[in-house]
Amino acid sequence: QVQLVESGGGLVQPGGSLRLSCAASGIIFWNYAMGWYRQGPGTQRELVATISTRRDTNYVDSVKGRFTISRDNSKNTLYLEMNSLKPEDTAVYYCNAVNSWETYWGQGTQVTVSS
């Protein structure tokens, strides 16, 4: 059974930092491109960042220079380091795993940026 379990969300003040984790099980982790998506109140789910099996990374413009995606294949874990957080970063953050045949999603973790 495939599971992607996100953790690390919470309430943080503007300018603060959080690190999200996504623990994967039931898949050959290194064989999947991984990504973080988010869905804010009243908005559609959007791509935040992706990392390929070769560790090539891609970011949406709004988070470039503030967020860093990384992966630890030895721990089957994906990370998202988020710095200089803004209220507009408030959303549910979802982990995604994809290869040529399959796509999997986690249940999400809430990030709220507010003073």
Side-chain angles (χ1 to χ4, degrees), residues 3 13-15 19 36-37 43 54 57-58 67 79 87 92 99 108:
Q3 283 193 312
Q13 292 186 342
R19 187 174 84 154
W36 288 98
Y37 290 70
T43 67
R54 296 180 302 177
T57 59
N58 180 57
F67 290 11
Y79 301 100
V92 178
N99 68 8

Side-chain angles (χ1 to χ4, degrees), residues 2-105:
V2 177
Q3 283 193 312
L4 300 177
V5 180
E6 301 96 336
S7 62
L11 173 63
V12 63
Q13 292 186 342
S17 299
L18 283 174
R19 187 174 84 154
L20 305 184
S21 300
C22 171
S25 59
I27 60 172
I28 301 173
F29 184 75
W30 59 262
N31 199 36
Y32 284 74
M34 301 295 296
W36 288 98
Y37 290 70
R38 67 186 179 187
Q39 187 167 14
T43 67
Q44 292 187 332
R45 192 174 297 188
E46 66 167 352
L47 171 70
V48 176
T50 61
I51 184 167
S52 73
T53 56
R54 296 180 302 177
R55 303 180 187 273
D56 298 319
T57 59
N58 180 57
Y59 299 89
V60 67
D61 285 346
S62 60
V63 308
K64 285 181 179 177
R66 301 189 297 122
F67 290 11
T68 302
I69 189 171
S70 62
R71 64 191 298 162
D72 187 336
N73 290 343
S74 69
K75 296 182 179 179
N76 289 356
T77 302
L78 175 73
Y79 301 100
L80 184 67
E81 186 75 36
M82 304 187 294
N83 298 313
S84 302
L85 283 161
K86 304 175 180 180
E88 50 264 43
D89 295 317
T90 294
V92 178
Y93 284 71
Y94 298 91
C95 174
N96 167 268
V98 60
N99 68 8
S100 298
W101 307 275
E102 301 158 322
T103 300
Y104 299 103
W105 291 93

